[in-house]
């Protein structure tokens, strides 16, 4: 099996996450996606937690398989910044999957709950790694002969910043809407990396 075929896992990861975000609210009476976070759907004690786990079951494994295959594929790319950016993104994927799996948000508890504190710390690390990855990939994309991927990195970085800016400047009634800009930015970018791998674009850049 060619390494490039594993890129399809990035697309599957995005579809699994999207299915969780779209359909899990059906099992959560009173859930308002405009004002509530995505993590509320899979929180410990949430009525939708079981459905969310089932729908999201391919998100983590497929996302990690895809990004690790990308790491192998770009090993000989000229731009060191580009390579390091992809490695940061891979680190973010591992942090996201292991951290949130071990420390899911506790439904009904506030941010002082020990498990919720660790959940928030994981979120901070995920954001830091994501920003570093997007910036490095955007800067190194030209030398890596991946200018279009650099544009994707800039767009996803802008979407990631749109989340906290929107939640800070706009009413809490639209918190959930802008939070989804941030959460989907990394998921979409991983799918884009997977698509590039599947289409053999990294091989052409060597």
């Amino acid at each position: 099996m060619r390494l490039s075929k594993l890129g399809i896992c990035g697309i599957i990861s995005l579809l699994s996450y999207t299915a969780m975000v779209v359909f899990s609210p059906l099992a959560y009476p009173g859930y308002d996606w405009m004002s509530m976070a995505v993590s509320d759907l899979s929180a410990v004690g949430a009525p939708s937690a079981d459905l969310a786990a089932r729908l999201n079951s391919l998100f983590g494994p497929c996302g990690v398989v895809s990004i690790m295959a990308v790491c192998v594929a770009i090993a000989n790319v000229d731009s060191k910044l580009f390579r390091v950016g992809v490695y940061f993104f891979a680190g973010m994927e591992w942090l996201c999957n292991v951290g949130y799996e071990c420390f899911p948000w506790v439904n009904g508890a506030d941010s002082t709950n020990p498990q919720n504190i660790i959940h928030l710390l994981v979120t901070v690390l995920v954001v830091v790694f994501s920003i570093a990855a997007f910036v490095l990939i955007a800067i190194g994309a030209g030398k890596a002969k991946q200018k279009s991927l650099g544009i994707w990195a800039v767009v996803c970085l802008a979407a990631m910043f749109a989340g906290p800016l929107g939640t800070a400047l706009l009413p809490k009634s639209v918190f959930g809407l802008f939070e989804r800009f941030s959460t989907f930015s990394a998921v979409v970018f991983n799918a884009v990396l997977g698509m590039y791998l599947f289409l053999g674009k990294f091989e052409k850049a060597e």
Side-chain angles (χ1 to χ4, degrees):
M1 179 180 178
R2 291 189 61 185
L3 182 69
S4 62
K5 301 301 181 185
L6 294 176
I8 196 68
C9 290
I11 306 296
I12 294 172
S13 176
L14 171 61
L15 292 175
S16 179
Y17 184 79
T18 302
M20 184 274 289
V21 172
V22 172
F23 296 111
S24 293
L26 297 176
Y28 194 135
Y31 182 85
D32 178 18
W33 70 272
M34 285 284 288
S35 63
M36 297 175 70
V38 172
S39 58
D40 289 333
L41 294 168
S42 57
V44 176
S48 57
D50 184 60
L51 178 59
R54 292 172 186 272
L55 293 173
N56 208 35
S57 60
L58 294 177
F59 163 66
C62 286
V64 168
V65 168
S66 180
I67 190 59
M68 296 311 293
V70 170
C71 286
V72 175
I74 56 94
N76 296 321
V77 170
D78 281 342
S79 174
K80 183 178 180 181
L81 285 176
F82 183 85
R83 294 198 309 272
V84 173
V86 172
Y87 298 153
F88 262 99
F89 197 82
M92 181 279 298
E93 285 289 333
W94 280 99
L95 274 169
C96 179
N97 286 282
V98 176
Y100 290 140
E101 187 69 25
C102 292
F103 304 102
W105 187 263
V106 179
N107 191 45
D110 58 26
S111 58
T112 61
N113 179 283
Q115 183 161 309
N116 287 351
I117 290 174
I118 300 177
H119 181 95
L120 292 173
L121 288 175
V122 170
T123 300
V124 170
L125 288 173
V126 165
V127 170
V128 170
F129 271 64
S130 297
I131 292 173
F134 289 144
V135 170
L136 291 171
I137 291 172
I139 294 173
K143 188 175 180 181
K145 301 176 184 176
Q146 298 290 349
K147 290 184 178 180
S148 60
L149 192 55
I151 294 172
W152 273 106
V154 171
V155 170
C156 289
L157 179 63
M160 176 165 281
F161 279 120
L165 284 175
T167 55
L169 300 175
L170 296 172
K172 290 184 178 180
S173 59
V174 293
F175 166 82
L177 173 63
F178 281 91
E179 189 238 11
R180 280 159 173 76
F181 280 101
S182 294
T183 58
F184 267 98
S185 61
V187 182
V188 168
F189 192 71
N190 196 29
V192 171
L193 286 172
M195 181 179 66
Y196 272 60
L197 175 66
F198 185 77
L199 295 175
K201 295 196 176 217
F202 295 125
E203 295 173 11
K204 297 173 186 177
E206 292 179 4

